[in-house]
Amino acid sequence: MRALSLPTIDHRGPEFAALGRKVLGDMQRIFQTQNPILIYPTSGTGAWEAALVNILSPGDHVLMYETGHFAALWSKLATALGLKAEVIAMPGLEANGTPTSWRYGVQHDLIEARLRADTAHHIRAVCVVHNETSTGVTSDIAAVRQAIDAAGHPALLLVDTISGLAAADYRHDEWGVDVSISGSQKGLMLPPGLGFNAVSPKALAASKHATFPKAFWGWHEMIEMNRTGYWPTTPATNLLYGLSEACDMLLDDGLHAVFARHKRWATATQAAVRAWGLEIQCAEPSVYSPILTGVMMPEGVDADAVRKLIYERYDCSLGTGLGKVKGRMFRIGHLGDCNDLTLIAAIAGCEMGLKAVGVVLQSSGVQAAMDVVQRHPIPQINQ
Ligand SMILES: *Cc1c(COP(=O)(O)O)cnc(C)c1O
C-alpha cells in the first residue's frame, strides 16, 4: 500500500523504463515463462477478452469447460463476442440424485474425447479455468495439455489463472499453455486494476491471422513498446509500483514457499470443515484449492444468512456462493496476505456464526485447524 502511494512519475520519462522492464521481467518469473507478458489497465474480464480477440476470428469454435461460475462467465463473454462457444461439463449425478454441479476439476478425458471427434479441426481453442474461485477447485492444467496432444489436435490452450497465479503452482511454459490470463487483485495481493496475458510463440503466430477487430487489446504494438520498458497508452503507473513490490515479496519468499503456505492453510481449513461435519464444495481431494475452500450448508440453511451474521457480528467478510450455488455454500479465502492467526480467527468467526444460526456442528473446526498448523511447522517466511 505504501508503494502504491508514491507520486506518479511521467510514463514517458526516463525513470519509467526501469520500472516497466522490472515488472515485465518479474511477471515472467511469476508466470514461469520466458515469453512475453502483457499488462493492461483492466480487471480479469478485460484480460479474458484480450486473449480471445488476439488469437481468434469471429465465428471461431472454442471448447470451454464449465468448472463453475467463472468458467460460465467466460463462455458467456466468448458468445457475446461472436464466438461459437461449446461448453462441456462433468456429466452424471451425485449420490443423492442431484446433477453433479461444480464440485470437480476439469475432466481431461472429456476434452480428449471431444477433440478426437473433431477430425476436421474446427475447434480453435480450449479454454479452462485453473483455479475456479466460485467453488475452490484447482484443475490439472498439464493434464489438459496432454489431452490436447494425445488427441493430436492443434487447438490452442487458454487458461484463466486469475485467482490461481502467485498462490498455486503455475507453469506457463512447462505446461504448454498458449495464453495465460490473470489479474492483480487475487494472489498478487494488489487492488483490482491490472490484467495480464502471458503468451506462447504459437499464440503469437495465431494472432497474425486472427481477424477480430481490436485496437486497445492488440498485443503487437504493446509488445513492441514494452521492449523499451514503455506502453503505447498510459499505464496504471501506481499499480505498477505496487506490482513491483508484490513481486519482490513473492520472489524473495520464493514461489515454492508461497505455494506451500497456501496449501498448508487450505489443509487447516479443510480440517475445520470436516470437524464441523460439513461438506467441502470440492468433491475431489486431489484438486482441493490452496486459494479458497467452499463450505456447503446443510439442507435448509441459507449460506448468505450465515455470511451476513458473521459479517455483522465479527467483521469477517466471507465469499458468497455464486450462480447456481448461491445460498448453498460460502467461501473461506486463504490467498494473498494471510497468516495462521488471521485464518484461525476467520474459522472461529465461521464456527460462532454457524452455531448462532442453529447449525449443529460435530466438533470444533477451530481446534482441528489449530492442530493442523501446529503439526505442520510454519514455513520460515511467516515467522
Ligand atoms: C476474479 C475472477 C475473474 C473475474 O475477474 P474480474 O477481475 O472480476 O473481471 C475471472 N475468473 C476467475 C477465476 C476469477 O477468480
Side-chain angles (χ1 to χ4, degrees):
M1 293 311 289
R2 287 202 309 277
L4 286 161
S5 71
L6 293 173
T8 310
I9 56 170
D10 174 7
H11 63 277
R12 305 276 176 222
E15 284 168 79
F16 187 88
L19 171 68
R21 279 200 295 258
K22 177 183 183 294
V23 292
L24 289 164
D26 286 350
M27 286 309 291
Q28 284 181 315
R29 292 173 65 192
I30 303 278
F31 275 103
Q32 303 191 50
T33 182
Q34 312 278 333
N35 290 300
I37 302 285
L38 292 112
I39 308 179
Y40 297 97
T42 183
S43 78
T45 304
W48 270 343
E49 180 161 334
L52 296 173
V53 299
N54 272 284
I55 59 161
L56 297 166
S57 303
D60 274 355
H61 189 159
V62 293
L63 186 63
M64 311 191 82
Y65 195 102
E66 190 177 299
T67 39
H69 187 65
F70 286 104
L73 286 177
W74 195 11
S75 63
K76 211 171 123 192
L77 179 140
T79 305
L81 282 172
L83 291 163
K84 183 169 173 238
E86 175 181 338
V87 178
I88 52 178
M90 176 91 171
L93 300 174
E94 296 286 347
N96 68 3
T98 56
T100 45
S101 58
W102 296 356
R103 299 194 64 191
Y104 300 87
V106 171
Q107 310 291 305
H108 52 85
D109 49 329
L110 296 180
I111 291 179
E112 184 176 333
R114 181 63 190 90
L115 293 179
R116 279 187 191 282
D118 179 35
T119 50
H121 295 168
H122 286 306
I123 295 170
R124 304 303 302 268
V126 173
C127 303
V128 294
V129 173
H130 174 222
N131 184 72
E132 179 51 77
T133 324
S134 63
T135 60
V137 173
T138 307
S139 290
D140 182 347
I141 301 304
V144 176
R145 164 48 69 193
Q146 281 156 21
I148 298 171
D149 293 347
H153 199 289
L156 295 166
L157 174 58
L158 272 60
V159 179
D160 166 341
T161 184
I162 293 175
S163 64
L165 193 75
D169 195 7
Y170 190 81
R171 306 178 191 189
H172 177 83
D173 286 358
E174 189 185 319
W175 294 348
V177 181
D178 292 301
V179 190
S180 297
I181 297 140
S182 198
S184 52
Q185 77 273 32
K186 312 266 169 84
L188 291 168
M189 308 178 285
L190 290 168
L194 295 178
F196 305 90
N197 281 179
V199 300
S200 72
K202 211 171 126 192
L204 283 173
S207 72
K208 305 239 158 76
H209 312 286
T211 65
F212 260 123
K214 57 196 157 287
F216 182 72
W217 299 123
W219 284 343
H220 288 275
E221 191 189 358
M222 200 186 275
I223 290 174
E224 206 41 54
M225 292 252 348
N226 281 171
R227 286 187 215 289
T228 56
Y230 295 96
W231 267 255
T233 55
T234 309
T237 307
N238 288 59
L239 281 169
L240 297 181
Y241 295 153
L243 180 62
S244 172
E245 189 63 31
C247 288
D248 286 348
M249 289 165 72
L250 291 161
L251 296 168
D252 286 351
D253 288 345
L255 291 181
H256 282 293
V258 171
F259 304 149
R261 74 183 175 212
H262 293 291
K263 195 163 178 204
R264 179 170 166 276
W265 290 325
T267 305
T269 310
Q270 292 148 17
V273 180
R274 272 192 228 101
W276 288 329
L278 299 177
E279 265 195 77
I280 296 168
Q281 176 72 25
C282 177
E284 210 182 343
S286 63
V287 290
Y288 278 158
S289 171
I291 286 116
L292 74 140
T293 301
V295 185
M296 293 173 77
M297 291 299 97
E299 219 41 63
V301 176
D302 175 6
D304 287 332
V306 181
R307 285 179 53 248
K308 182 165 184 280
L309 185 143
I310 294 168
Y311 182 72
E312 286 171 358
R313 279 200 198 164
Y314 307 117
D315 198 20
C316 173
S317 187
L318 298 159
T320 186
L322 292 164
K324 70 177 170 190
V325 291
K326 180 148 186 67
R328 300 285 307 123
M329 56 90 87
F330 64 77
R331 297 171 292 150
I332 302 174
H334 28 80
L335 76 163
D337 182 34
C338 187
N339 66 39
D340 286 358
L341 297 185
T342 306
L343 181 71
I344 287 167
I347 292 170
C350 294
E351 189 159 315
M352 291 187 285
L354 286 163
K355 282 186 186 164
V357 299
V359 177
V360 180
L361 302 177
Q362 263 170 24
S363 58
S364 169
V366 176
Q367 187 61 57
M370 290 194 299
D371 290 346
V372 170
V373 299
Q374 279 187 301
R375 254 198 330 269
H376 300 276
I378 207 159
Q380 86 270 11
I381 45 170
N382 276 328
Q383 277 175 353

